[in-house]
Amino acid sequence: MSKVIFITGTSSGLGKLTAKYFAEQGWNVAATMRTPEKETELTKYDNIKIIKQDVTDVEQTKNAVSEAINTFGRIDVVVNNAGMGTYGALELAKEADIDWQFAVNTRGPINVIRAFLPHFRENGGGMFINISSFMGVTTAVPLGSLYNMSKFALEGLTEGLYYELKPLNISLRLIEQGGSTGNNFGDNITWNKNTAITAYDELTGKLKALMGSTDESLRDDPMVIVNVIADLATGKSNQFRTVIGQMGNNLMALRNSVPIEEYLEKISANFS
């Protein structure tokens, strides 16, 4: 019997690439997205079921999970991939954008996990793979406080759940991807703006320049992430936390080698 994987945020980027890969490996795939009526590529696969889901909508998420289970009979692995980034000074952020950042990146995975737990308990096990970021364990650039917040929270959620789900044979995995993995992340950035406040303009300009000119040698092939997901899903790797890419690993090495005060000053000096 083919195994089944449920993946959120499959309309583009990493989510779509992961759905295609697993389908081509013979898995059945429940691929969710907010606007399935616009999808034309994944519809070509007989073993992919496209399901409407906004992860921030609790009832819609419950319905999506039920539809996936009814279609395939069981789900073995869940990938919480849907995400977005809010950047810019906190003072400039709109209330709705603050709430949306948390809703997508943190509450979204909570909604999915809660919807799947009865199914996994009944089946005697399952796996959640949460797509995080190295910015969930360390700050790497200025003006990313809201994104950091959401991913730090996802990291804490995943670690905390380990203790209550391990006795139920439900596994948890974290993938900390980099910011330059070719996964359309830049297309999903919301920039905090307020033309009446100019105090952050210089710093914002420096960050945008950095994001637009990242060294090509630091850009990671998104298939690296897909392969890590595959290794975790198949049990080839049992690593709880996997940091992807040169940039993330370099920053984590620096963060672990010096006191936090020194680390923050080193990062800050890059933008002074």
Side-chain angles (χ1 to χ4, degrees):
M1 181 181 296
S2 296
K3 286 198 169 185
V4 186
I5 190 167
F6 181 101
I7 309 167
T8 67
T10 59
S11 61
S12 64
L14 178 62
K16 175 171 285 188
L17 196 61
T18 304
K20 291 168 60 177
Y21 175 85
F22 274 86
E24 290 164 0
Q25 296 302 309
W27 285 56
N28 288 321
V29 180
T32 80
M33 59 187 69
R34 287 187 291 173
T35 55
E37 64 277 5
K38 296 181 180 180
E39 179 57 38
T40 58
E41 193 170 354
L42 298 183
T43 54
K44 299 175 182 177
Y45 291 80
D46 292 336
N47 54 339
I48 294 181
K49 172 67 174 179
I50 300 173
I51 301 172
K52 182 178 182 63
Q53 182 195 18
D54 177 345
V55 296
T56 70
D57 187 321
V58 175
E59 291 305 315
Q60 194 175 97
T61 294
K62 290 179 180 178
N63 291 337
V65 170
S66 294
E67 185 175 349
I69 294 170
N70 290 337
T71 299
F72 296 115
R74 65 176 289 137
I75 305 296
D76 299 288
V77 179
V78 173
V79 180
N80 279 308
N81 166 72
M84 56 85 68
T86 297
Y87 279 81
L90 180 63
E91 184 180 1
L92 310 184
K94 296 177 181 177
E95 296 294 335
D97 290 336
I98 295 172
D99 293 339
W100 185 245
Q101 177 68 95
F102 185 84
V104 176
N105 287 10
T106 309
R107 186 57 199 264
I110 289 174
N111 294 341
V112 173
I113 290 168
R114 282 170 57 86
F116 265 110
L117 284 176
H119 180 66
F120 278 178
R121 284 191 291 102
E122 183 179 349
N123 289 346
M127 178 181 290
F128 294 108
I129 301 175
N130 293 337
I131 305 300
S132 183
S133 165
F134 63 78
M135 290 181 69
V137 286
T138 187
T139 55
V141 296
L143 307 178
S145 58
L146 290 174
Y147 183 72
N148 282 124
M149 169 205 71
S150 67
K151 292 301 187 180
F152 267 70
L154 180 61
E155 297 276 332
L157 171 72
T158 309
E159 284 195 24
L161 281 172
Y162 178 89
Y163 304 107
E164 63 194 72
L165 298 186
K166 179 177 171 57
L168 304 177
N169 195 36
I170 299 173
S171 302
L172 293 147
R173 302 287 184 260
L174 278 164
I175 294 178
E176 282 131 4
Q177 62 174 319
S180 302
T181 51
N183 62 353
N184 291 9
F185 176 77
D187 296 337
N188 294 322
I189 290 180
T190 297
W191 285 94
N192 303 330
K193 299 176 183 178
N194 186 334
T195 56
I197 300 174
T198 61
Y200 306 102
D201 286 359
E202 182 177 355
L203 188 57
T204 300
K206 289 179 179 179
L207 178 60
K208 287 184 175 181
L210 175 67
M211 287 183 167
S213 62
T214 302
D215 189 332
E216 285 295 327
S217 67
L218 297 178
R219 294 186 183 273
D220 306 309
D221 181 352
M223 278 305 300
V224 172
I225 307 175
V226 175
N227 289 331
V228 170
I229 294 172
D231 286 348
L232 294 171
T234 58
K236 184 176 180 180
S237 170
N238 293 316
Q239 197 163 320
F240 177 78
R241 175 178 277 114
T242 305
V243 182
I244 302 289
Q246 181 182 342
M247 184 187 300
N249 278 283
N250 288 349
L251 283 163
M252 288 303 300
L254 175 62
R255 173 66 186 87
N256 293 328
S257 66
V258 298
I260 182 61
E261 294 84 2
E262 184 176 343
Y263 175 82
L264 292 173
E265 286 301 318
K266 284 180 177 291
I267 296 297
S268 181
N270 293 327
F271 296 90
S272 60

